[in-house]
Amino acid sequence: MKKILSLMLALVMILSCGIKVYSLELPQSDTNVHFYMDWNMITNTSSNQWQLQHSGLISTDENGIRYAQDTNGEKYYLVALAERYGTEIGSVYEVTLDNGSVFRVMLGDCKSNKDAPNGYGKQCYNFITQQTAINVLEFIVEEEKLPEKVTQWGSLTAVDTFNGNLEEIEYLGRAWYPAD
């Protein structure tokens, strides 16, 4: 456990210096919808996803979102992404929205191809913008702690920080490795 924690903290400290590895392709569509899944849906006890959730490094914030935190206090929200963005659980990304929000996320699960048939995410109707949208970021949450507005909307778009289209996703590296 100490090995995992020290590896995570060392890499996250490096990542906190602003090193960006590369930007990832985004769909040419409305992306202002951010669905969620309850962390208890991760049930395969031999998976890296399950191991990360039970590592003792993950907490839940005031909006019900699961996250890891580095030694500088930077939060890394846990998300599921389509395979095109990576499949190594513990990979971290910096996300920029068109509302000016910039935050970091950690890959906590991978979307199945049925949930990302276009390679990006599930296509849906965004009732706010009244157009077709693609859900790229799927946040991993503790559902019973979600604000009522989020459960009513069915999207973390209801939280001001996350109410925006994706402008950029940058891969930063990997901050968590499963135990051997």
Side-chain angles (χ1 to χ4, degrees), residues 79-123:
V79 297
L81 294 169
E83 288 182 11
R84 80 177 317 127
Y85 296 112
T87 58
E88 294 181 317
I89 302 303
S91 295
V92 292
Y93 307 82
E94 186 168 271
V95 176
T96 304
L97 301 181
D98 64 2
N99 69 1
S101 291
V102 178
F103 53 91
R104 293 192 174 170
V105 299
M106 179 182 289
L107 188 64
D109 197 13
C110 297
K111 291 184 183 183
S112 72
N113 288 332
K114 72 177 178 65
D115 290 331
N118 55 17
Y120 296 103
K122 191 170 277 188
Q123 188 167 326

Side-chain angles (χ1 to χ4, degrees), residues 1-14 51-52 55-59 67-72 106 174-180:
M1 181 67 176
K2 286 183 181 180
K3 181 180 175 186
I4 294 170
L5 186 56
S6 63
L7 280 172
M8 181 180 173
L9 294 177
L11 185 56
V12 171
M13 287 179 67
I14 292 168
Q51 190 176 341
L52 174 60
S55 67
L57 302 172
I58 307 303
S59 300
Y67 71 94
Q69 190 166 1
D70 69 20
T71 56
N72 295 323
M106 179 182 289
R174 196 157 173 204
W176 178 84
Y177 294 85
D180 295 332

Side-chain angles (χ1 to χ4, degrees), residues 18-176:
I19 299 167
K20 296 190 170 70
V21 181
Y22 57 86
S23 290
L24 301 166
E25 182 182 344
L26 294 171
Q28 299 299 311
S29 175
D30 178 10
T31 56
N32 189 18
V33 61
H34 312 297
F35 294 145
Y36 55 84
M37 64 175 270
D38 191 86
W39 73 281
N40 289 307
M41 298 295 291
I42 300 170
T43 57
N44 181 348
T45 58
S46 63
S47 71
N48 290 339
Q49 293 89 322
W50 192 91
Q51 190 176 341
L52 174 60
Q53 290 293 332
H54 294 86
S55 67
L57 302 172
I58 307 303
S59 300
T60 303
D61 77 0
E62 67 280 357
N63 290 310
I65 305 170
R66 303 282 286 169
Y67 71 94
Q69 190 166 1
D70 69 20
T71 56
N72 295 323
E74 178 87 35
K75 281 185 181 179
Y76 293 79
Y77 297 107
L78 269 61
V79 297
L81 294 169
E83 288 182 11
R84 80 177 317 127
Y85 296 112
T87 58
E88 294 181 317
I89 302 303
S91 295
V92 292
Y93 307 82
E94 186 168 271
V95 176
T96 304
L97 301 181
D98 64 2
N99 69 1
S101 291
V102 178
F103 53 91
R104 293 192 174 170
V105 299
M106 179 182 289
L107 188 64
D109 197 13
C110 297
K111 291 184 183 183
S112 72
N113 288 332
K114 72 177 178 65
D115 290 331
N118 55 17
Y120 296 103
K122 191 170 277 188
Q123 188 167 326
C124 59
Y125 182 75
N126 184 341
F127 71 91
I128 298 164
T129 62
Q130 298 184 354
Q131 56 186 318
T132 300
I134 296 177
N135 174 51
V136 175
L137 292 177
E138 183 173 341
F139 286 84
I140 299 173
V141 302
E142 195 168 331
E143 278 193 56
E144 60 270 6
K145 294 187 177 181
L146 289 173
E148 184 177 345
K149 189 175 178 181
V150 171
T151 58
Q152 288 173 345
W153 287 24
S155 171
L156 279 155
T157 304
V159 176
D160 290 342
T161 301
F162 306 114
N163 188 356
N165 282 292
L166 296 169
E167 253 184 23
E168 187 171 38
I169 296 180
E170 296 175 288
Y171 174 77
L172 301 177
R174 196 157 173 204
W176 178 84

